């Protein structure tokens, strides 16, 4: 007490001189509302220097007084006696504050002072306090506690706020204004510790300003209030000493920026799997920066997702929310999704404050945005990344350009950037589509774009046509950087972005947006400047002169050129050059913005989709998808991938494996039997092997022609499907099991089908539910004591046993060499799979039954459709016949080498197969989350690919060949097939579970059709409507009630002046050989 009183006589006259620091500062601010205090502190202006020198002159170095000050501070902390506070304030107002930071004792004083609990209510400064001050102070407190960062601009905004109060002559707390300088000093202290020199100077100047303001506060105290004002140093809510302590801590920590190693481009980057084509990345935080922030964000998201969805780009958007604003709603809660864009997920990744706080340069206004973007780069699932801005609305042409999916991985695409005021009444409430339409028809914008285009064409002539025509010159010279809004549109391959480690994570953002381009260029990436109409429109908003703390080690306009010449030389304060850039190891909270509400049913959604609009109700389903509405973490796979890596567990759930056993068609590909069978069986059906089956196939065709030649010319054949099924069943069993069942001949002589077929049909019928107690026993099933179900089961078990017995007989006959040695059974008995395994004996039955299931109704049904369609289209029938005549050169049936030449006949069959695929849907369990036809499907879901819908999708099947629903075999000309999307036609299934019998079916069908065409003219029934149905029984839909009037082909082998000549000889031959077969397997048919 005594000690401080001794000083008072010296202080008072000095204080009396008055400094008017506040007025001087506002004058110097030039009336600017926002002006960067740190820059101000660093300014080399003579006026500022002179002013500060004047302040400095008034201070003393404490020297030995430090011990006394420390004692006083301890008193204040422990006793809070008013007299101690006044005395201590006197000390503190006359010594250099920066000297406190230099010694242990000085730092001890700060420690004492920052522990003082301010008695806020008693501060006269409170009279000048407003609610907004409370908010600022709370943030400042949280920042000091490391909970929330205090962006430098908040400090500057506060300055603007004080400025406003000064102008309107409201009371102002000078201690509060002093606090702003202390915040600036805090940040500078960080830089000072790292760099020394210049920053040390800044630190001292900031402290001088702060101290000077506090002095003014005391000087201006009304008479009798001086002590109260002195005590405000400790009693005001403005945390002066806590800030001083923070400054001291920064200096103590002596932050040395990690000296980064020169980033080497060749560091192997972890291979990432590209799951989508595009990831769009934007960063933001819910701080309403620039006004209407959420509106701008939502407009950007709605328009982008809508266009990506419509153009079916497999894509996602990542909104990376950095340093989330305390107490503000999380961004994912603020995203409003519009319907019609559901295939594009919006992921919101949150980079918490703690991550930013963990960065060494967090106080020096770090580039949180770039850190966040790096986090997103790391987690992007697209092959390409478009880093854009929440303000940007992409032009439709930009999306169309991307949708071509022809981006070059060695190019970075930049786009023209236009400003436009979108926040106007006209644009209010517009939906995404309407907004895009409205925006890109603004005349003033179009003329701006035209001017821009002219300019860019001059500067980047090679890139002129990239947007519109995709043409780009790979060896074009590297042109100068494209500057405007450079950070707003960076479109490059993820691989390249990974190679250059994303954005430089440095403390300042002056031109760091451009640094990524320097690095990409150094990595050998070519810059392509997209030109209008590929543009981004920047939604104009309130401009905030973002504060740039101009520490000297940032990239500025001046040094950019130099830095860019050596872009991998680590930048001062740069982090993230190691393999862990973008916080690779960390897990971030992620939310998927709830998808827009779906229309009432998935069907409704599909109906509305563009590609199905023109189809009739019966064909509406392009993809029948089970929807899951819950958002969940997703692993995305592009369509083709998902199709290739299918995991089919219980395929064909409708066929009980009880009857079919573990055969190829009906078993899981995880089963050992499937694996062995899959390795072996296809060998039996390859093109060469199939040719070996030609005699059997021809024999069955000949038998068919023979039987039909027995009809009168013009006779009505009503059960065409039965005939066809008999023929294909005979053929497949003959080739795969070496037994001719003679079902064609049996049908001709009105006998019951072969027992094998009968047993097969009954067993299959019960297992798929087409034969039931009701169908089998009718009303009898209600008789007392008649156990219909039990009876049916018994019969079913007996038929199964019988089937097994028959197959066993065939197998044994084959083993003994009594049956065909080129049969599939022979292949299964004799061959081993790729891993040396043989088909299990007990699995033989399953495979045989499966071949029967898969291999006869399908071909028969398609043949029926083909015959009817040809009958309906005489022009094509004529062309097919002409081809057959040319190939056969006067012969009456095709030889094995003729079959491949029957190109047009094959086209007719394939076209019928397109329109009436007997396998109406193909079931797959989704192996990875993916997009199908623009819809999301999730791993583990079962999807049905509706073949008819796929095969009639106008996107692939319309155009020059007319209505997709029409029969036009020219769709399958080699040229047309080449130009079509390979996934547009899947009648045989696809990938590992594709049909193994397609070559067999084609060979058989062509042989048969050629023979029929040359022998008969089939006349369709007038008014007959071709409908695919299962009414006639069987698992594959066939042409309902198919019937023909059969005529001999005029001038053909059976033609006798309009009458039908029976085909005598060949049939007899065939019968002979069949008799032989029958004898050898008499046990089977008995
Ligand atoms: C026009 C005639 C045919 C059509 C349209 C057809 C269609 C198909 C389709 C779509 C699949 C895949 C089913 C799925 O993945 O869910 C399939 C599988 C199969 N097909 Fe065919 N098929 C025909 C003829 C044949 C013939 C003649 C044979 C045998 C001689 C045969 C044997 C098989 C077998 C064994 C499988 C199961 C392959 C596996 O799952 O590993 N198919 N077929």
């Amino acid at each position: 007490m005594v000690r401080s009183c001794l000083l008072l006589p010296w202080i008072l006259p000095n204080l009396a001189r008055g400094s008017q620091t506040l007025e001087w500062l506002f004058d110097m601010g030039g009336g600017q509302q926002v002006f960067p205090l740190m820059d101000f502190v660093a300014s080399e202006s003579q006026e500022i220097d002179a002013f500060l020198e004047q302040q400095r002159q008034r201070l003393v170095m404490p020297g030995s007084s430090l011990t006394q000050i420390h004692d006083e501070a301890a008193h204040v902390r422990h006793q809070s006696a008013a007299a101690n506070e006044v005395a201590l304030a006197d000390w503190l107002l006359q010594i250099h504050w920066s000297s406190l930071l230099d010694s242990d004792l000085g730092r001890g004083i700060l420690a004492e002072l920052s522990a003082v609990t301010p008695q806020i209510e008693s501060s006269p400064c409170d009279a000048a306090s407003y609610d907004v001050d409370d908010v600022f102070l709370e943030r400042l407190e949280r920042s000091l506690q490391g909970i929330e960062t205090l962006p430098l601009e908040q400090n500057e905004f506060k300055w603007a706020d004080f400025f406003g109060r000064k102008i309107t002559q409201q009371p102002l707390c000078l201690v509060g204004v002093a606090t702003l300088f202390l915040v600036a000093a805090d940040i500078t202290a960080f830089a000072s510790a790292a760099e020394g020199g210049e920053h040390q100077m800044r630190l001292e100047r900031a402290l001088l300003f702060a101290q000077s303001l506090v002095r003014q506060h005391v000087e201006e105290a009304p008479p009798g209030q001086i002590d109260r004002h002195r005590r405000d140093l400790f009693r005001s809510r403005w945390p002066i000493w806590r800030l001083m302590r923070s400054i001291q801590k920064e200096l103590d920590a002596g932050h040395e920026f990690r000296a980064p190693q020169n980033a080497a481009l060749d560091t192997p980057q972890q291979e990432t799997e590209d799951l989508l084509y595009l990831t769009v990345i934007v960063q933001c935080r819910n701080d309403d920066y620039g006004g209407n922030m959420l509106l701008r964000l939502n407009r950007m998201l709605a328009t982008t997702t809508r266009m990506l969805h419509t153009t079916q780009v497999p894509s996602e958007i990542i909104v990376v929310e950095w340093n989330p604003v305390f107490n503000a709603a999380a961004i994912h809660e603020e995203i409003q999704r519009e319907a019609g864009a559901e295939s594009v997920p919006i992921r919101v990744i949150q980079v918490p404050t703690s991550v930013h706080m963990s960065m060494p340069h967090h106080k020096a206004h770090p580039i949180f945005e770039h850190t966040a973007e790096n986090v997103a780069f790391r987690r992007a699932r697209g092959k390409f990344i478009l880093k854009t801005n929440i303000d940007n609305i992409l032009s439709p042409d930009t999306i169309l350009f991307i949708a071509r999916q022809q981006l070059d991985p060695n190019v970075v695409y930049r786009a023209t950037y236009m400003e436009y005021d979108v926040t106007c009444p006209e644009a209010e409430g517009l939906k995404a589509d309407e907004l895009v339409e409205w925006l890109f028809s603004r005349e003033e914008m179009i003329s701006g774009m035209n001017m821009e285009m002219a300019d860019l064409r001059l500067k980047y002539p090679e890139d002129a046509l990239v947007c519109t025509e995709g043409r780009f010159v790979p060896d074009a010279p590297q042109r100068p950087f494209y500057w405007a809004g450079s950070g707003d549109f960076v479109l490059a391959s993820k691989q390249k972005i990974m190679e250059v480690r994303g954005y430089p994570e440095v403390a300042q953002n002056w031109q760091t947006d451009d640094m990524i381009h320097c690095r990409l260029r150094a990595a050998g990436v070519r810059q392509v400047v997209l030109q209008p109409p590929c543009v981004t429109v920047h939604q104009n908003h309130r401009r905030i002169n973002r504060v740039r703390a101009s520490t000297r080690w940032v990239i500025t306009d001046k040094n950019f050129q130099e830095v860019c010449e050596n872009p991998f030389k680590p930048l001062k304060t740069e982090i993230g050059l190691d393999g862990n850039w973008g916080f690779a190891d960390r897990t971030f909270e992620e939310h998927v913005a709830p998808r827009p509400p779906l229309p009432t049913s998935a069907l409704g959604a599909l109906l509305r989709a563009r590609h199905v609009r023109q189809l009739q109700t019966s064909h509406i389903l392009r993809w029948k998808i089970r929807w899951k509405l819950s958002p969940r973490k997703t692993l995305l796979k592009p369509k083709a991938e998902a199709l290739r890596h299918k995991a089919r567990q219980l395929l064909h759930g409708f066929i009980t494996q009880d009857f079919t056993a573990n055969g190829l068609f009906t078993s899981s590909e995880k089963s050992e039997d499937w694996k062995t069978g899959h390795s072996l069986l296809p060998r039996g059906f390859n093109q060469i092997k199939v040719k070996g089956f030609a005699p059997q196939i021809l024999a069955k065709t000949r038998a068919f022609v023979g039987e039909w030649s027995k009809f009168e010319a013009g006779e009505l054949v009503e059960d065409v499907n039965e005939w066809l099924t008999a023929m294909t069943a005979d053929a497949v069993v003959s080739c795969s099991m070496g037994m001719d069942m003679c079902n064609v001949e049996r049908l001709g002589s009105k006998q019951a089908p072969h027992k094998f077929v009968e047993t097969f049909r009954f067993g299959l019928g019960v297992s798929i539910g087409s034969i039931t107690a009701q169908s089998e026993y009718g009303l009898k099933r209600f008789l007392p004591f008649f156990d219909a179900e039990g009876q049916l089961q018994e019969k079913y078990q007996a038929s199964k046993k019988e089937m097994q017995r028959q197959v066993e007989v065939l197998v044994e006959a084959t083993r003994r060499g009594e049956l065909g040695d080129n049969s599939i059974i022979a292949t299964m008995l004799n061959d081993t799979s790729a891993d040396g395994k043989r088909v299990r004996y007990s699995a033989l039955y399953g495979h045989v039954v499966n071949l029967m299931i898969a291999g006869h109704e399908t071909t028969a049904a398609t043949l029926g459709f083909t015959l009817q369609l040809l009958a309906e289209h005489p022009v094509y029938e004529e062309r097919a016949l002409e081809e057959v005549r040319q190939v056969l050169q006067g012969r009456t049936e095709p030889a094995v080498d003729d079959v491949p030449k029957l190109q047009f006949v094959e086209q007719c069959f394939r076209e019928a197969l397109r329109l009436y695929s007997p396998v109406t849907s193909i079931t797959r369990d989704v192996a990875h989350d993916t997009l199908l036809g623009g819809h999301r499907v999730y791993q583990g879901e079962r999807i049905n690919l509706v073949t008819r819908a796929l095969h009639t999708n106008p996107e692939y099947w319309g155009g020059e060949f007319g209505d997709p629903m029409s029969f036009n075999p020219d769709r399958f000309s080699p040229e047309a097939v080449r130009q079509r999307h390979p996934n547009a036609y899947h009648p045989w299934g696809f990938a590992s579970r594709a049909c193994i019998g397609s070559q067999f079916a084609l060979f058989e069908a062509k042989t048969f059709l050629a023979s029929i065409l040359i022998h008969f003219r089939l006349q369709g029934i007038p008014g007959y409507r071709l409908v695919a149905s299962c009414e006639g029984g069987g698992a594959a839909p066939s042409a309902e009630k198919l019937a023909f009037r059969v005529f001999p082909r005029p001038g053909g082998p059976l033609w006798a002046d309009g009458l039908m000549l029976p085909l005598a000889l060949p049939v007899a031959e065939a019968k002979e050989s069949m008799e032989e077969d029958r004898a050898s397997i008499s046990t089977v048919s008995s």
Side-chain angles (χ1 to χ4, degrees):
M1 183 62 194
V2 178
R3 285 185 301 266
S4 48
C5 284
L6 287 175
L7 279 166
L8 277 178
W10 184 87
I11 296 168
L12 284 173
N14 275 298
L15 287 179
R17 257 188 259 150
S19 60
Q20 297 292 300
T21 306
L22 183 70
E23 289 69 19
W24 184 86
L25 275 170
F26 281 133
D27 285 352
M28 282 301 288
Q32 273 193 66
Q33 285 234 326
V34 176
F35 90 118
L37 295 183
M38 270 190 36
D39 285 357
F40 180 77
V41 164
S43 166
E44 286 160 11
S45 131
Q46 281 184 356
E47 248 179 306
I48 298 176
D49 285 352
F51 178 82
L52 286 174
E53 191 46 41
Q54 194 195 341
Q55 302 304 313
R56 200 177 283 117
Q57 293 293 330
R58 299 171 65 193
L59 300 172
V60 292
M61 294 304 286
S64 58
S65 329
L66 274 180
T67 323
Q68 296 163 359
I69 301 173
H70 186 268
D71 289 352
E72 209 67 72
H75 273 103
V76 167
R77 181 182 161 207
H78 294 298
Q79 294 164 14
S80 281
N84 291 106
E85 287 174 13
V86 170
L88 183 60
D90 284 341
W91 281 110
L92 295 172
L93 288 174
Q94 58 166 315
I95 60 164
H96 276 274
W97 280 2
S98 53
S99 64
L100 289 178
L101 309 172
D102 287 343
S103 66
D104 286 348
L105 213 50
R107 287 194 285 271
I109 293 169
L110 294 181
E112 293 290 342
L113 289 176
S114 58
V116 170
T117 317
Q119 294 172 22
I120 297 162
E121 72 282 0
S122 62
S123 166
C125 217
D126 291 345
S129 280
Y130 296 85
D131 289 353
V132 282
D133 296 337
D134 294 343
V135 176
F136 176 78
L137 283 167
E138 273 167 29
R139 297 193 69 172
L140 188 56
E141 271 299 333
R142 285 197 296 270
S143 153
L144 288 169
Q145 288 163 27
I147 300 169
E148 188 189 14
T149 58
L150 182 75
L152 191 55
E153 60 258 31
Q154 290 305 321
N155 203 28
E156 313 299 344
F157 293 157
K158 195 73 215 159
W159 168 266
D161 174 30
F162 285 160
F163 186 87
R165 286 188 218 176
K166 178 91 175 75
I167 302 270
T168 50
Q169 295 181 338
Q170 293 171 55
L172 207 58
C173 170
L174 281 151
V175 183
V177 186
T179 306
L180 302 187
F181 280 91
L182 284 167
V183 171
D186 194 12
I187 293 165
T188 290
F190 158 78
S192 170
E195 286 281 296
E198 178 204 345
H199 299 95
Q200 189 68 38
M201 173 270 286
R202 288 179 182 209
L203 177 65
E204 282 174 20
R205 287 158 73 109
L207 291 177
L208 269 175
F209 273 119
Q211 190 179 18
S212 176
L213 284 158
V214 177
R215 286 164 64 119
Q216 184 176 346
H217 175 64
V218 174
E219 284 169 20
E220 286 179 356
Q225 286 284 313
I226 293 183
D227 281 358
R228 297 285 295 108
H229 277 235
R230 282 185 181 123
R231 285 164 55 205
D232 276 350
L233 265 179
F234 317 109
R235 299 205 166 208
S236 126
R237 293 169 312 148
W238 299 89
I240 292 202
W241 302 110
R242 303 221 30 216
L243 262 163
M244 287 288 283
R245 182 104 198 267
S246 182
I247 296 168
Q248 171 234 310
K249 267 164 77 182
E250 287 300 343
L251 293 173
D252 283 354
H255 278 306
E256 268 181 36
F257 299 119
R258 217 179 313 160
Q261 300 299 307
N262 245 10
L265 263 179
D266 56 358
T267 312
Q269 288 291 326
Q270 186 195 339
E271 263 303 302
T272 51
E273 221 181 346
D274 302 321
L275 304 169
L276 292 169
Y277 189 69
L278 181 76
T279 300
V280 180
I281 292 175
V282 289
Q283 52 78 16
C284 67
R285 66 194 302 257
N286 197 356
D287 63 355
D288 199 33
Y289 169 68
N292 289 321
M293 198 283 280
L294 291 173
L295 177 73
R296 287 180 282 133
L297 170 71
N298 274 316
R299 280 182 164 161
M300 179 270 163
L301 292 174
T303 51
T304 313
T305 50
R306 176 77 187 118
M307 290 189 280
L308 287 171
H309 174 84
T310 315
T311 49
Q312 304 217 342
V313 181
S315 50
E316 62 174 357
I317 296 195
I318 298 181
V319 179
V320 60
E321 180 181 13
W322 48 274
N323 195 19
V325 178
F326 191 80
N327 267 347
I331 287 289
H332 68 269
E333 290 166 8
E334 298 291 337
I335 290 176
Q336 286 156 10
R337 299 219 49 181
E338 273 186 27
E342 40 285 289
S343 66
V344 184
I346 300 178
R347 298 162 59 195
V348 183
I349 299 179
Q350 214 177 54
V351 182
T353 303
S354 58
V355 165
H356 297 300
M357 294 290 245
S358 74
M359 295 167 68
H361 50 257
H362 74 267
K363 278 199 176 159
H365 191 51
I367 302 308
F368 290 167
E369 292 99 318
H370 286 343
T371 303
E373 279 153 356
N374 281 353
V375 167
F377 285 154
R378 276 284 190 185
R379 285 148 188 88
R381 292 160 181 177
K383 185 172 178 195
F384 288 89
I385 291 178
L386 168 58
K387 206 297 282 175
T388 179
N389 184 309
I390 62 156
D391 294 318
N392 284 353
I393 297 184
L394 302 169
S395 71
D397 292 83
T398 313
I399 297 286
L400 286 172
F401 164 73
I402 294 169
R404 280 189 221 136
Q405 301 200 18
Q406 288 168 351
L407 299 178
D408 189 311
N410 294 312
V411 166
V412 56
Y413 300 88
R414 328 273 301 266
T416 320
Y417 161 99
M418 315 281 303
E419 292 274 356
Y420 200 80
D421 191 357
V422 184
T423 328
C424 55
E426 269 177 287
E428 236 166 68
L430 294 184
K431 292 238 169 282
D433 284 347
E434 297 163 342
L435 184 67
V436 169
E437 207 175 317
W438 174 82
L439 186 58
F440 291 95
S441 56
R442 303 291 88 201
E443 272 182 16
E444 58 278 29
M445 211 175 70
I446 291 171
S447 64
M449 269 159 61
N450 284 337
M451 278 163 64
E452 188 78 20
M453 179 150 70
D455 194 34
L456 290 172
R457 283 209 168 172
L458 276 177
K459 285 193 194 141
Y460 305 101
E462 297 85 4
D463 304 342
L465 296 177
V466 178
C467 166
T468 46
E469 293 174 28
R471 252 190 274 150
F472 100 99
V473 188
D475 305 324
Q478 282 279 20
R479 301 271 176 201
F481 275 112
Y482 173 69
W483 297 95
S486 59
D488 280 10
F489 194 100
V490 182
L491 173 57
S493 69
K494 179 170 177 195
Q495 193 200 340
K496 285 291 172 198
I497 288 180
M498 295 289 282
E499 250 176 58
V500 304
R501 296 171 177 79
Y503 274 107
E505 290 180 35
V506 291
Q508 301 297 327
N509 76 346
W510 219 309
Q511 292 193 348
T512 40
D513 265 340
D514 291 302
M515 272 311 292
I516 194 167
H517 295 291
C518 296
R519 290 187 171 176
L520 283 168
R521 180 181 278 215
V525 174
R526 176 162 136 55
Q527 167 197 263
V528 162
V529 180
L530 296 175
Q531 297 171 26
C534 284
V535 291
T536 62
V537 173
H538 191 270
Q539 306 174 61
N540 242 347
H541 57 87
R542 179 157 49 88
R543 282 278 163 207
I544 293 182
N545 187 7
R546 253 205 198 219
V547 179
R548 293 171 172 199
S550 58
T551 38
R552 291 294 148 83
W553 25 257
V554 302
I555 315 163
T556 64
D557 292 340
K558 281 187 206 151
N559 70 359
F560 178 75
Q561 214 70 21
E562 181 197 320
V563 175
C564 194
E565 261 160 34
N566 188 2
F568 286 100
K569 184 171 166 218
L571 299 166
K572 289 252 174 77
T573 80
E574 182 160 12
I575 62 154
L577 278 170
D578 55 4
N580 203 26
W581 69 271
F583 291 87
D585 289 350
R586 235 191 116 109
T587 315
F588 291 95
E589 201 177 313
E590 181 175 331
H591 300 267
V592 177
R595 275 155 232 245
L598 283 175
T600 38
S601 71
L603 197 68
L606 291 166
L607 271 171
R608 246 161 255 150
R610 199 163 45 100
H611 52 264
V612 291
R613 209 171 39 208
Q614 299 152 29
L615 297 181
Q616 323 213 326
T617 344
S618 54
H619 318 123
I620 44 175
L621 287 182
R622 183 180 181 211
W623 306 97
K624 203 172 103 205
I625 294 165
R626 264 212 257 126
W627 287 90
K628 252 195 190 158
L629 294 175
S630 59
R632 50 181 250 189
K633 295 226 161 143
T634 52
L635 175 66
L636 299 165
K637 277 260 161 195
K639 177 160 72 180
E641 282 296 288
L643 295 184
R644 241 178 284 140
H645 299 106
K646 71 194 180 123
R648 184 168 58 173
Q649 292 301 323
L650 184 82
L651 180 80
H652 301 297
F654 59 86
I655 298 175
T656 52
Q657 281 183 309
D658 182 54
F659 182 70
T660 62
N662 233 4
L664 204 57
F665 190 54
T666 49
S667 62
S668 156
E669 61 195 49
K670 290 201 172 140
S671 84
E672 282 305 314
D673 285 336
W674 183 86
K675 287 181 195 159
T676 316
H678 182 66
S679 171
L680 267 170
L681 283 167
R683 287 187 224 160
F685 289 102
N686 64 29
Q687 272 182 337
I688 302 167
K689 273 279 181 146
V690 165
K691 279 188 177 182
F693 293 136
Q696 287 109 304
I697 290 174
L698 195 58
K700 291 321 300 180
T701 303
R702 199 185 291 143
F704 190 101
V705 173
E707 294 300 333
W708 274 37
S709 71
K710 294 176 189 165
F711 292 125
E712 298 287 323
E715 192 173 333
L716 181 69
V717 183
E718 285 193 307
D719 42 6
V720 176
N721 280 319
E722 212 173 317
W723 279 99
L724 294 171
T725 317
M727 191 279 291
T728 54
D730 278 0
V732 78
V733 170
S734 165
C735 299
S736 58
M737 302 167 216
M739 163 179 79
D740 187 344
M741 300 185 291
C742 292
N743 284 309
V744 174
E745 295 83 344
R746 285 170 200 265
L747 198 57
S749 54
K750 299 198 171 29
Q751 287 176 44
H754 191 280
K755 192 162 184 189
F756 187 83
V757 173
E758 278 204 322
T759 329
F760 169 82
R761 283 191 186 153
F762 180 79
L764 187 64
V766 174
S767 67
I768 69 173
S770 65
I771 297 176
T772 59
Q774 183 187 2
S775 69
E776 203 58 7
Y777 305 112
L779 290 175
K780 194 177 159 193
R781 69 189 190 282
F782 298 118
L783 285 177
F785 311 115
F786 181 71
D787 177 11
E789 284 299 339
Q791 293 269 335
L792 187 72
Q793 270 307 311
E794 216 170 274
K795 214 170 147 191
Y796 165 72
Q797 291 302 339
S799 71
K800 210 170 74 177
K801 251 196 193 137
E802 175 57 19
M803 276 294 286
Q804 282 163 350
R805 190 190 68 80
Q806 293 185 26
V807 171
E808 202 176 318
V809 170
L810 290 170
V811 169
E812 286 310 316
T814 311
R815 200 194 284 282
R816 288 195 303 271
E818 293 164 7
L819 274 182
D821 55 5
N822 70 340
S823 73
I824 301 297
I825 293 184
T827 306
M828 288 194 283
L829 286 175
N830 302 329
D831 285 7
T832 49
S833 68
D835 56 355
K837 288 188 181 151
R838 284 179 191 278
V839 174
R840 281 189 312 127
Y841 190 82
S842 57
L844 287 167
Y845 160 77
H847 289 313
V848 167
V849 176
N850 272 228
L851 286 178
M852 184 71 175
I853 295 175
H856 83 291
E857 278 188 25
T858 42
T859 318
T862 315
L863 282 173
F865 289 116
T866 316
L867 292 175
Q868 174 62 27
L869 287 164
L870 286 175
E872 286 175 13
H873 297 85
V875 178
Y876 298 128
E877 187 195 10
E878 191 53 42
R879 276 174 63 186
L881 178 65
E882 188 47 39
E883 180 184 75
V884 175
R885 283 187 176 135
Q886 275 188 12
V887 171
L888 298 193
Q889 297 287 324
R891 284 171 286 125
T892 58
E893 49 188 35
V896 65
D897 291 331
D898 293 328
V899 179
K901 296 179 195 152
L902 297 168
Q903 167 68 30
F904 191 74
V905 174
E906 181 171 327
Q907 287 177 218
C908 294
F909 184 76
R910 284 189 187 271
E911 174 68 341
L913 194 52
R914 175 182 76 85
L915 284 168
Y916 298 97
S917 295
V919 179
T920 51
S921 70
I922 297 171
T923 318
R924 293 287 184 271
D925 289 351
V926 178
H928 303 277
D929 292 6
T930 187
L931 290 168
L932 273 185
H935 302 285
R936 288 289 291 275
V937 290
Y938 296 93
Q939 183 173 350
E941 270 186 295
R942 183 155 299 171
I943 59 148
N944 280 338
L945 187 152
V946 180
T947 40
R948 177 85 192 266
L950 173 68
H951 294 166
T952 51
N953 184 339
E955 214 174 300
Y956 310 117
W957 298 102
E960 58 176 310
F961 299 110
D963 180 359
M965 304 306 295
S966 66
F967 178 71
N968 182 352
D970 286 330
R971 290 182 217 272
F972 288 93
S973 72
E975 182 54 28
V977 170
R978 253 197 306 278
Q979 286 179 10
R980 191 166 302 120
H981 193 289
N983 276 343
Y985 188 61
H986 277 310
W988 316 101
F990 38 76
S992 56
R993 300 302 296 252
C995 178
I996 64 163
S998 59
Q999 290 308 319
F1000 182 92
L1002 281 171
F1003 193 92
E1004 181 186 16
K1006 285 160 80 178
T1007 307
F1008 177 80
L1009 287 170
S1011 294
I1012 296 291
L1013 278 164
I1014 208 135
H1015 286 95
F1016 304 106
R1017 182 174 70 80
L1018 304 183
Q1019 189 184 72
I1021 307 305
Y1024 175 81
R1025 209 173 136 256
L1026 190 54
V1027 173
S1029 123
C1030 290
E1031 285 294 293
S1038 53
E1040 196 175 58
K1041 298 189 178 123
L1042 185 63
F1044 293 114
R1045 286 196 185 283
V1046 189
F1047 296 91
R1049 174 70 66 196
L1054 304 177
W1055 175 261
D1057 291 335
L1059 297 179
M1060 183 91 84
L1061 275 182
L1063 183 75
L1065 184 66
V1067 175
E1069 271 174 13
K1071 275 211 167 128
E1072 221 168 79
S1073 68
M1074 279 166 217
E1075 290 304 326
E1076 284 167 23
D1077 279 347
R1078 224 175 291 163
S1080 65
I1081 52 163
S1082 51
T1083 26
V1084 177
S1085 34
S1086 62

